[in-house]
Every structure is written in structure tokens, then in C-alpha cells.
């Protein structure tokens, strides 16, 4: 066996080796990380510090700023429109996470089985995921049109009257969730399908010998083993649903009225339509705290769902 390193006893035997061994090069190594530190400070740390600073200011574009401390946060706590947007965000996020997880897991179980044209059908199933959110939103906007949309025409063929879709305050969020489900269920399917492909066969063979049926094998073998992959899909979907903006803004812009105004839409309108930068910065800080708390909760749940070897 050969070694590429020089033993310490040999390297310190010569004067040059002893001098090199006595020098500490750690301060020089820090210089190599300096560009990355500067980029992180400029791109991540400074914007956040500036946002925190602005959240304590009453500043509207075109006017002067005034330090108000926690005044913006106190005003948000009494703002009915802000509280309503938080409810819309929770409603949208729960539906946009649960439904793709259920449908994606069911699709993964189907595509995990062998049947003719499985590869072709799987390719067709994942095609919605390849489209950009804005393009998807524009296509669905035309389909939701009450007079010219194809959805109401299809419903009329089976005797169902026209629906309000995104033009009805009651159905607007479930309709937006329907677009999210169509768009992102393939992603969940791919994640769960990857987990199913790696499952061992021995537990299923033992279960068949013991007389277990398909439901028993899914409930007591497949679901526990594939649950860590489902948790990964839940984390990804939760983050995507919380930051959903482009699809909602293109289709409804928060309407009708404020019926689909989520926190992202509320934040955008405060900052770029009403030009209340300080107020919008306070919304960003609250939104950031919510995301951090939810992320820690999901990461803890994902850690608990890992297989115990």
C-alpha cells in the first residue's frame, strides 16, 4: 500500500519541514471564503436587515419616512383585509397540499403496476408539470370564462348548469386549487413512485403467505415504508402553496373583490399598488415568521418519519 502523505516525523526532520509545520495557514484559508461571504451578505443578509428596518418605518413612495416602531404590526393586527388574507392563505394551502398528495399517491400506486402502455401514459400524466405557471393560468382563464369557456360547455352536455368558477367568491379558491392540483399532482406522483420502486419484496411475499389482501398490504406495509417520501412531497408542496402568486394573480388578481386575496397578493398590492413600503415590509416579516415556524414543524415531522434501521 502506498501513501501520498509525508509522515510528520520525516517532514519535521528537515529545517524547512519544521518551519512549515510550525506555521498556521488558517487565516489565509479564510480569504478563499470571503467572496462567498460577501455575496451572501449582499444578496440575503442585507435585504433582510433592510426589510426589518423598513418594517419599523411609515414610508410611502414619494413621501418622507417616519419611525413608528411596532406601529405597522399593531395596525396589521386590526386590519380586517390582512386577517382575511391570512384565512385565504390557510384555506388555499391546506387544499393545495392535501389534494395533490392524495391524488399523486394514488397515481403512483397505479403507475407502479405493470400494464400496457404504462410508459406512454406516465409521460402524458407528467406533462402538466412541464408548463410554466403563467401559461397554465392563461389557458385556465380562457376555460373558466362564463360564456366562452369550454368547462361550462362540457357541463351543459351532461345537464349541469353553468358555474361561476373564479367569478364566484364562494368557488374561487377551490377553483384555483383545482388548477394547482392539475399542475403539481405529477410532481407528487414522481416522488412517491421513486419511493415505491425501492421497496423490498420480502414483506409482501410474507404477507401473501399469511393471507393478507391488497388493502392490508397497503395499510400495513406500503404506506409505512413509503411515508418518508410522502413527507418530502408534503414539505415541497407546502412551500410551493405558501408562495403561490403567479397563478392566482394572473387568473383573479385577488378577486372577485378580495375573495382570493392571499398574503402574497395582499403584500404585492400594498407595496406596488398603494406604495406603502413600510406596511408591506411588516407583512413580509410576519410571513417570514410563519414560514419559519411551519418549516421547522414539517422538518420535525419528516425527521420522525424516517425509517428506523
Amino acid at each position: 500500500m502506498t501513501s501520498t502523505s509525508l509522515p510528520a516525523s520525516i517532514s519535521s526532520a528537515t529545517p524547512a519541514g519544521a518551519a512549515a509545520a510550525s506555521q498556521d495557514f488558517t487565516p489565509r484559508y479564510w480569504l478563499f471564503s470571503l467572496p462567498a461571504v460577501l455575496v451572501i451578505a449582499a444578496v440575503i443578509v442585507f435585504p433582510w436587515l433592510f426589510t426589518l428596518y423598513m418594517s419599523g418605518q411609515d414610508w410611502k413612495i414619494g413621501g418622507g419616512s417616519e419611525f413608528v416602531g411596532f406601529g405597522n404590526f399593531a395596525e396589521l393586527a386590526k386590519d380586517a383585509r390582512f386577517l382575511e388574507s391570512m384565512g385565504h392563505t390557510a384555506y388555499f394551502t391546506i387544499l393545495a397540499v392535501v389534494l395533490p398528495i392524495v391524488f399523486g399517491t394514488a397515481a403512483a400506486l397505479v403507475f407502479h403496476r405493470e400494464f400496457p402502455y404504462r410508459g406512454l401514459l406516465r409521460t402524458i400524466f407528467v406533462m402538466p408539470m412541464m408548463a410554466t405557471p403563467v401559461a397554465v393560468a392563461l389557458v385556465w382563464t380562457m376555460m373558466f370564462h362564463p360564456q366562452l369557456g369550454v368547462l361550462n360547455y362540457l357541463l351543459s352536455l351532461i345537464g349541469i348548469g353553468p358555474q361561476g368558477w373564479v367569478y364566484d367568491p364562494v368557488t374561487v379558491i377551490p377553483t384555483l386549487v383545482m388548477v394547482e392540483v392539475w399542475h403539481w399532482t405529477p410532481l407528487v406522483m414522481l416522488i412517491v413512485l421513486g419511493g415505491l420502486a425501492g421497496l423490498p419484496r420480502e414483506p409482501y411475499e410474507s404477507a401473501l403467505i399469511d393471507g393478507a389482501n391488497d388493502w392490508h398490504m397497503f395499510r400495513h406495509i406500503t404506506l409505512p415504508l413509503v411515508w418518508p417520501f410522502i413527507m418530502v412531497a408534503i414539505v415541497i408542496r407546502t412551500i410551493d402553496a405558501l408562495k403561490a402568486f403567479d397563478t392566482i394573480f394572473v387568473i383573479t388578481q385577488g378577486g372577485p373583490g378580495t375573495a382570493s386575496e392571499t398574503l402574497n397578493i395582499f403584500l404585492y398590492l400594498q407595496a406596488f399598488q398603494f406604495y406603502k413600503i413600510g406596511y408591506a415590509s411588516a407583512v413580509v416579516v410576519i410571513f417570514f415568521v410563519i414560514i419559519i415556524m411551519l418549516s421547522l414543524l414539517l422538518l420535525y415531522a419528516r425527521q420522525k418519519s424516517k425509517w428506523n434501521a
Side-chain angles (χ1 to χ4, degrees):
M1 178 180 294
T2 60
S3 175
T4 56
S5 61
L6 191 63
S9 58
I10 298 177
S11 62
S12 60
T14 62
S22 64
Q23 292 183 359
D24 184 8
F25 293 98
T26 303
R28 297 182 184 179
Y29 297 155
W30 282 104
L31 294 177
F32 290 100
S33 63
L34 187 59
V37 172
L38 291 176
V39 170
I40 291 174
V43 176
I44 298 178
V45 177
F46 172 73
W48 266 113
L49 293 177
F50 186 72
T51 302
L52 282 174
Y53 168 75
M54 290 306 303
S55 67
Q57 303 289 322
D58 181 15
W59 179 46
K60 193 171 183 178
I61 293 180
S65 62
E66 179 185 359
F67 180 73
V68 293
F70 293 99
N72 287 327
F73 297 96
E75 188 176 350
L76 281 172
K78 297 181 293 185
D79 190 338
R81 187 169 177 175
F82 169 71
L83 299 176
E84 185 185 11
S85 69
M86 289 189 69
H88 294 159
T89 303
Y91 183 27
F92 177 85
T93 301
I94 291 172
L95 290 180
V97 171
V98 172
L99 294 180
I101 292 297
V102 173
F103 294 146
T105 303
L109 292 172
V110 171
F111 285 116
H112 185 59
R113 295 175 178 271
E114 294 285 347
F115 57 85
Y117 305 109
R118 184 183 67 164
L120 175 63
L121 295 175
R122 187 189 297 176
T123 302
I124 295 174
F125 190 83
V126 301
M127 286 181 69
M129 193 179 64
M130 303 176 188
T132 60
V134 174
V136 168
L138 290 174
V139 171
W140 279 96
T141 301
M142 292 187 287
M143 295 172 66
F144 289 140
H145 195 278
Q147 283 83 37
L148 305 176
V150 69
L151 293 180
N152 278 341
Y153 171 73
L154 294 175
L155 291 179
S156 68
L157 296 179
I158 56 176
I160 299 178
Q163 303 296 313
W165 303 110
V166 293
Y167 300 94
D168 187 338
V170 177
T171 59
V172 59
I173 289 184
T175 304
L176 291 171
V177 170
M178 184 174 71
V179 178
E180 283 283 302
V181 170
W182 177 83
H183 197 189
W184 295 116
T185 293
L187 175 65
V188 178
M189 187 274 289
L190 290 177
I191 294 173
V192 179
L193 194 61
L196 290 173
L199 296 185
R201 298 184 59 85
E202 290 79 5
Y204 295 95
E205 294 171 354
S206 301
L208 286 174
I209 293 174
D210 292 339
N213 56 29
D214 288 343
W215 167 249
H216 290 152
M217 288 191 286
F218 171 74
R219 173 66 182 83
H220 299 289
I221 299 176
T222 303
L223 189 58
L225 290 179
V226 85
W227 185 249
F229 297 91
I230 296 177
M231 278 304 305
V232 172
I234 290 174
V235 173
I236 294 174
R237 276 305 307 147
T238 303
I239 295 172
D240 279 345
L242 278 174
K243 69 179 185 181
F245 173 80
D246 33 20
T247 303
I248 301 173
F249 190 76
V250 171
I251 295 178
T252 67
Q253 297 186 358
T258 58
S260 63
E261 191 173 273
T262 59
L263 272 178
N264 285 316
I265 303 294
F266 177 82
L267 165 63
Y268 174 83
L269 295 177
Q270 294 298 321
F272 301 109
Q273 185 169 338
F274 307 135
Y275 304 117
K276 299 168 67 175
I277 303 300
Y279 198 60
S281 299
V283 178
V284 173
V285 173
I286 292 176
F287 199 23
F288 179 73
V289 172
I290 293 174
I291 290 177
I292 289 294
M293 293 175 62
L294 194 56
S295 299
L296 291 176
L297 179 64
L298 290 173
L299 289 175
Y300 173 76
R302 179 178 176 274
Q303 191 69 22
K304 296 290 288 185
S305 68
K306 282 185 175 180
W307 293 342
N308 295 318

